[in-house]
Amino acid sequence: MGHDIDDQIFDQNETLPRKELGKLQLERLRKIVDYAKERVPFFREKLAGIDGDDLKSLDDLRKLPFTTKQDLRDGYPYGFLAIPKNEIARIHGSSGTTGKLTFVPYSHNDMRNWTNVVSRFLVAGGLRPGHLVQISFGYGLFTGGFGLHYGIENVGGAVVPAASGNTERQLSILRDLKPDAIVCTPSYALTIGEAIKAHNIPREELGLKYGFFGGEPWTDEMRTRIEDDLGIFATDNYGLSEVIGPGAAGECKYRKGQHFSEDHFLVECLDPETLEPVPEGQKGELVITTLTKEGMPVIRYRTRDISSLSYEPCPCGRTGVRMTRVTGRSDDMLVIRGVNVYPTQIEEALLRVREAAPHYMIDVDRPGTLDVATVRVEILPEMFSASMRDMVGLRDKISAAINSVTGIRMEIELVAPKTLERFQGKAKRVTDRRPKAE
């Protein structure tokens, strides 16, 4: 799949030579530093003694202070607003999955830029004028639905704004309208795939060709499962509300990482402990500076997302640095008996076991002095009536797969099909009941 996608580029900035791109970034960085300092009290204080002209090269970015989620919360609701309220075009908000909601205002120019960068990854992943796209993301404060909506229309596609939830209705729309592409979270794509199988609907009857997925970490194994279930070519895209929403980066047809729109976002990959740059290709925390955002600029924003960067040329011709798929977050990483574990590693292991469904929950306790991690895993319907011997064998197989990926042993609890919660938005996979450090 995907061989029929040509190497179409949405706009010329996607192919700027690296040297020319660096000059543009430095010019925009200098401007945004002065802009933020002039208009936002937080940056006026944090950037005291630093002006845009002091930045002689992009390496000087490291002289600038970080911005964190807590800083944005402390400025709630309008502390980071850099334009007059009557010039706001829209306000979105972060999902609140890690705490209090964060409001993000956009200027009219921000909306145009956002639409443009979303259009880039849509075209890169196969969307063309005339395609019909079913958006099964939530509409509202969450940036996913509206972000993709305007990007699709900008490319020349048509939108079915199905929103999230009501899987039976989603399936009905897919069957009756036969869209070319679908937009949702990877975990919800799995749920739709389950429904397709349950109704014995041939993939060919749906006619789907492409899927644009984001909003949560996922694995290559999960991609393969989704592509098989839906009969599509699936691409990943990346963004976060605090920076702009979806559109910061996205995959092309070669799927060798997600191309950053570096004319709008300056990205660093840092060791989350030392906050020093990691070597190219090594995992670290993504830190992003907005270069063109007017409504709410952020400088060196710590995303907490763990990824790595590659500057190797891509066959598609786009020159933006590529990030690997996010493997987790530096603040939702589990440390179990001294070992760092991300939920996506559990998913990767489960997708290696054919008899297990890719639906799971991780419960972490400390009943005594040692951590105990229990993974609750759904079995497939055809395994439900299996013998006790088969069930024990399946549990051992899952345990071995998880151990091979994470390096530690976890308790495995097999549960009946469709008993674990399904997520229409970001999946919440972990319950950590260990006592919190004072």
Side-chain angles (χ1 to χ4, degrees):
M1 287 181 287
H3 60 275
D4 58 337
I5 303 175
D6 57 28
D7 288 321
Q8 188 170 327
I9 306 293
F10 186 74
D11 71 52
Q12 60 184 13
N13 274 10
E14 293 183 83
T15 56
L16 282 177
R18 292 295 309 177
K19 191 171 181 181
E20 196 176 325
L21 177 60
K23 287 180 181 176
L24 178 63
Q25 287 180 311
L26 183 57
E27 176 189 324
R28 289 182 169 179
L29 177 63
R30 287 168 175 162
K31 285 181 180 176
I32 206 70
V33 164
D34 289 338
Y35 177 88
K37 189 176 175 182
E38 176 190 344
R39 293 168 176 252
V40 180
F42 172 84
F43 291 120
R44 193 172 304 134
E45 179 184 337
K46 286 284 188 177
L47 296 169
I50 301 175
D51 293 320
D53 288 343
D54 296 326
L55 305 174
K56 305 303 182 189
S57 74
L58 289 175
D59 290 338
D60 289 336
L61 178 67
R62 294 175 62 190
K63 296 177 180 177
L64 305 179
F66 294 100
T67 310
T68 66
K69 182 84 165 187
Q70 189 57 50
D71 293 329
L72 301 185
R73 289 193 186 118
D74 291 344
Y76 180 92
Y78 286 120
F80 280 76
L81 179 64
I83 57 176
K85 280 178 69 175
N86 64 1
E87 293 180 14
I88 295 173
R90 191 185 301 164
I91 294 177
H92 278 287
S94 66
S95 60
T97 51
T98 58
K100 190 176 182 179
L101 202 72
T102 302
F103 288 130
V104 183
Y106 296 71
S107 70
H108 290 279
N109 196 48
D110 292 337
M111 296 301 299
R112 285 187 286 271
N113 285 335
W114 186 17
T115 295
N116 182 270
V117 294
V118 170
S119 299
R120 292 178 183 184
F121 78 70
L122 289 169
V123 168
L127 188 71
R128 296 292 180 268
H131 280 165
L132 180 64
V133 186
Q134 181 166 328
I135 298 182
S136 301
F137 260 153
Y139 278 75
L141 287 174
F142 170 61
T143 53
F146 281 108
L148 272 292
H149 186 121
Y150 284 89
I152 291 162
E153 291 184 339
N154 192 45
V155 171
V159 174
V160 183
S164 60
N166 195 337
T167 304
E168 289 298 315
R169 186 187 64 180
Q170 301 281 352
L171 208 54
S172 176
I173 293 171
L174 284 170
R175 295 183 78 167
D176 297 342
L177 297 184
K178 294 184 169 41
D180 300 279
I182 189 167
V183 168
C184 60
T185 60
S187 55
Y188 194 51
L190 283 176
T191 300
I192 292 174
E194 279 184 340
I196 290 170
K197 286 181 178 176
H199 288 77
N200 294 314
I201 302 170
R203 301 181 325 178
E204 298 73 23
E205 183 182 318
L206 300 177
L208 277 172
K209 302 180 187 72
Y210 308 106
F212 301 95
F213 302 112
E216 64 189 13
W218 53 315
T219 59
D220 279 327
E221 289 83 2
M222 190 169 179
R223 191 206 305 260
T224 300
R225 180 75 62 93
I226 290 168
E227 289 187 328
D228 288 346
D229 287 351
L230 302 183
I232 58 173
F233 181 75
T235 51
D236 196 8
N237 60 80
Y238 174 77
L240 58 162
S241 301
E242 296 85 351
V243 168
I244 201 164
E251 287 183 309
C252 67
K253 74 172 187 180
Y254 295 98
R255 302 195 297 195
K256 296 178 180 294
Q258 300 173 63
H259 292 273
F260 249 91
S261 284
E262 286 191 276
D263 51 333
H264 293 282
F265 311 102
L266 194 52
V267 60
E268 305 169 79
C269 192
L270 308 181
D271 183 309
E273 298 298 324
T274 66
L275 298 178
E276 292 295 319
V278 298
E280 181 178 349
Q282 188 172 312
K283 286 185 179 180
E285 179 184 332
L286 298 182
V287 174
I288 299 175
T289 298
T290 59
L291 296 176
T292 56
K293 191 89 181 293
E294 295 175 342
M296 194 189 89
V298 289
I299 292 172
R300 302 196 82 192
Y301 181 72
R302 293 193 60 183
T303 68
R304 303 290 182 177
D305 290 328
I306 300 298
S307 179
S308 63
L309 299 178
S310 171
Y311 292 87
E312 285 290 315
C314 181
C316 75
R318 292 172 180 83
T319 53
V321 64
R322 283 169 290 145
M323 59 174 279
T324 55
R325 178 177 281 131
V326 171
T327 56
R329 290 174 56 83
S330 61
D331 55 359
D332 75 357
M333 177 183 73
L334 292 167
V335 181
I336 301 172
R337 300 193 291 276
V339 177
N340 296 345
V341 178
Y342 291 102
T344 47
Q345 292 178 294
I346 306 301
E347 177 185 294
E348 179 186 338
L350 290 177
L351 286 164
R352 295 179 181 180
V353 181
R354 223 175 61 198
E355 302 90 339
H359 300 288
Y360 63 96
M361 289 294 295
I362 308 168
D363 300 320
V364 188
D365 292 282
R366 188 179 294 147
T369 56
L370 292 177
D371 296 333
V372 175
T374 302
V375 183
R376 287 181 284 141
V377 183
E378 282 188 14
I379 57 174
L380 294 176
E382 54 266 34
M383 287 291 295
F384 194 50
S385 57
S387 68
M388 180 63 74
R389 177 185 295 176
D390 288 341
M391 297 295 271
V392 169
L394 174 58
R395 193 178 61 197
D396 290 346
K397 190 184 290 189
I398 292 171
S399 177
I402 290 175
N403 182 52
S404 72
V405 173
T406 66
I408 61 173
R409 291 279 175 190
M410 297 187 181
E411 301 292 323
I412 308 300
E413 180 183 331
L414 302 179
V415 301
K418 300 186 179 179
T419 54
L420 295 180
E421 184 179 355
R422 297 297 190 265
F423 301 96
Q424 297 165 13
K426 292 185 181 182
K428 303 175 184 68
R429 302 288 193 190
V430 179
T431 303
D432 194 339
R433 302 191 184 93
R434 291 176 293 185
K436 302 298 181 188
E438 297 297 329

